[in-house]
Amino acid sequence: MIKGQFPVEKFHSLETPFYYYDMDLLRRTLMAIRKEIEGKNYIVHYALKANANPRILREIASCGFGADCVSGNEILRALECGFPASRIAFAGVGKTDKEIRIGLDNDIFCFNVESLPELEAIEELASGGGRNARIALRINPNVDAHTHRYITTGMEENKFGLNEADLPKALDMIAGSNHLQLIGMHFHIGSQITDMSSFEDLCVKVVELEEWFSRQGVSFDVINVGGGLGINYHHPNHCPVADFEAYFRLFGKYLKLREGQSLHFELGRSLVAQCGSLIARTTYVKEGVSKKFLITDAGMTDLIRPALYQAFHHIENISSDDEYETYDVVGPVCESSDVFGEGVSLNRAKRGDLIAIRSAGAYGETMASMYNCRALPGAYFSDTL
Ligand SMILES: *Cc1c(COP(=O)(O)O)cnc(C)c1O
């Protein structure tokens, strides 16, 4: 088994658990994307909810990416960390008045509107404040993303987006407003998508809808196909940079842009997942009746993905080269779901050994909580450690 490369000596003096970010890998990932979109009318908005650590955000912003935000505070964080307002899209089913005002006051690129009542609220707040709002309609394409049901978002039964039946009404409302400017359509079908045919299904739907709008006399400058590109959680060392070439090629093949049209993407996980690892210390190795438990000082409060969606993370004992043994790797939190992995093969562990939980850069640190009055995990970066 290949293990990741970690500065284990430096880790010894640090308080665990913490996130460790490989900034070189992050930069290589960002460059790989830049290479694919160069010379095309493609814009990538990084989805902040995957990881909103300011250091990470500054790095991504400095490479010229836009931002995809799902709360008012994410908009403020994106602005603070160097993303220009003209590249911030704002999605989410439950934008509050306060959050809409943050978007309007900063004149963000676009509101991705998810319902008729939201459209009404944006119109009211824009006209009340003498502002204009650029709008993209988030349409639920009823496409199956073939991913975990908690992270699929583009099916009719999901709460996200406008249904096709809402569209004539939405067009009427926009036509009747001096403060709303319709610039695009928006989609997002789910996350951790590894079956590329889901994106093909989405493209077919996009073309169909574009034709429908065109018959209503409506054309768009912006087509936004959302995010969702998955990563390889089982082999983090094998292809640490996702296959962006295949991903962008697929959209290029199916979506022919018209003059002046730009294609927007909202990638989160695939930018940041592989560059982050959660580093924990082995608190105890406990002999159970039929198995061994490796109890770490990290828990579901630091990384909730396994408990929340039975997510798999590759785990390594980075302090030992002893022979492999099988452990259930668990946290200290008082919940039976506080388990990072069952039947995990690790170099024989002892109290104090450092454990790396890999591919934790996305939906890790951002989802941390203080349940059990635990402290939030720290963060260290390979280039400043
Ligand atoms: C979460 C989210 C994304 C990012 O999804 P990833 O799977 O991390 O790429 C993009 N767009 C919207 C609207 C989202 O909610």
Side-chain angles (χ1 to χ4, degrees):
M1 251 172 272
I2 330 166
K3 288 209 256 180
Q5 301 294 312
F6 294 100
V8 179
E9 287 310 310
K10 288 182 181 169
F11 285 175
H12 278 296
S13 59
L14 303 176
E15 191 178 339
T16 46
F18 59 85
Y19 278 89
Y20 173 72
Y21 295 106
D22 178 343
M23 299 305 276
D24 180 59
L25 178 56
L26 175 61
R27 283 180 207 121
R28 279 191 284 136
T29 306
L30 299 175
M31 288 309 143
I33 297 172
R34 286 236 322 227
K35 176 166 165 273
E36 296 307 327
I37 64 177
E38 211 153 53
K40 300 193 181 86
N41 219 354
Y42 290 3
I43 293 176
V44 174
H45 300 258
Y46 166 63
L48 258 79
K49 74 177 190 290
N51 187 318
N53 185 298
R55 248 320 296 280
I56 303 277
L57 293 186
R58 288 207 176 87
E59 196 66 44
I60 297 173
S62 73
C63 285
F65 291 87
D68 168 52
C69 299
V70 292
S71 74
N73 285 344
E74 278 194 359
I75 295 175
L76 297 174
R77 174 79 62 93
L79 290 167
E80 267 165 37
C81 292
F83 291 94
S86 61
R87 292 216 164 188
I88 295 179
F90 184 16
V93 288
K95 303 178 188 75
T96 64
D97 288 10
K98 184 177 168 188
E99 293 177 313
I100 292 169
R101 278 197 201 94
I102 291 173
L104 291 171
D105 291 348
N106 288 288
D107 194 25
I108 59 167
F109 169 63
C110 189
F111 290 83
N112 294 335
V113 173
E114 306 218 12
S115 67
L116 296 174
E118 180 193 331
L119 193 56
E120 213 171 298
I122 296 174
E123 144 66 27
E124 269 174 33
L125 293 164
S127 65
R131 309 237 184 231
N132 287 314
R134 281 171 294 277
I135 298 292
L137 298 173
R138 175 168 181 177
I139 303 165
N140 186 331
N142 199 25
V143 166
D144 191 345
H146 302 290
T147 183
H148 192 276
R149 94 189 157 78
Y150 283 7
I151 51 176
T152 186
T153 54
M155 299 286 285
E156 268 167 12
E157 69 262 27
N158 299 130
K159 67 182 177 181
F160 300 97
L162 291 150
N163 295 308
E164 285 176 44
D166 296 332
L167 297 180
K169 192 86 188 286
L171 288 182
D172 282 349
M173 288 167 70
I174 294 165
S177 164
N178 292 324
H179 299 271
L180 301 178
Q181 184 193 353
L182 181 61
I183 63 167
M185 355 183 227
H186 172 238
F187 306 86
H188 175 67
I189 57 174
S191 200
Q192 185 49 20
I193 297 168
T194 50
D195 174 355
M196 288 290 159
S197 71
S198 301
F199 292 122
E200 284 176 29
D201 294 348
L202 170 62
C203 289
V204 169
K205 207 68 206 190
V206 170
V207 171
E208 238 176 72
L209 279 159
E210 211 183 355
E211 282 164 5
W212 181 85
F213 277 105
S214 172
R215 287 196 294 277
Q216 319 302 309
V218 176
S219 62
F220 299 110
D221 291 343
V222 170
I223 309 282
N224 184 334
V225 291
L229 177 62
I231 60 126
N232 191 338
Y233 280 98
H234 283 86
H235 302 284
N237 303 313
H238 180 53
C239 297
V241 178
D243 191 353
F244 295 109
E245 197 271 328
Y247 174 75
F248 288 107
R249 179 158 35 86
L250 183 149
F251 286 95
K253 176 174 167 201
Y254 286 91
L255 299 180
K256 300 293 172 216
L257 299 181
R258 287 198 325 264
E259 189 69 20
Q261 213 171 37
S262 52
L263 186 57
H264 294 239
F265 301 85
E266 298 170 338
L267 295 170
R269 185 190 312 269
S270 53
L271 271 66
V272 293
Q274 297 291 29
C275 78
S277 296
L278 178 62
I279 308 295
R281 260 193 188 82
T282 304
T283 311
Y284 300 110
V285 177
K286 169 172 161 175
E287 301 280 344
V289 177
S290 58
K291 44 177 153 180
K292 280 195 183 77
F293 293 98
L294 188 155
I295 303 169
T296 72
D297 61 1
M300 64 191 285
T301 51
D302 306 295
L303 176 66
I304 202 177
R305 298 188 67 257
L308 188 61
Y309 3 79
Q310 293 118 30
F312 175 90
H313 284 269
H314 181 70
I315 304 175
E316 295 167 358
N317 180 352
I318 58 175
S319 294
S320 162
D321 287 320
D322 289 352
E323 68 205 63
Y324 281 88
E325 290 197 358
T326 303
Y327 300 91
D328 279 14
V329 179
V330 303
V333 175
C334 303
E335 297 288 340
S336 298
S337 58
D338 186 24
V339 174
F340 289 120
E342 285 177 293
V344 182
S345 188
L346 293 177
N347 296 101
R348 184 169 43 228
K350 59 185 181 310
R351 192 165 150 76
D353 279 1
L354 290 167
I355 302 298
I357 304 176
R358 303 290 306 278
S359 315
Y363 307 104
E365 195 185 346
T366 40
M367 283 189 161
S369 79
M370 299 183 77
Y371 180 46
N372 286 194
C373 285
R374 285 167 57 78
L376 290 173
Y380 295 95
F381 305 87
S382 57
D383 55 354
T384 51
L385 192 64

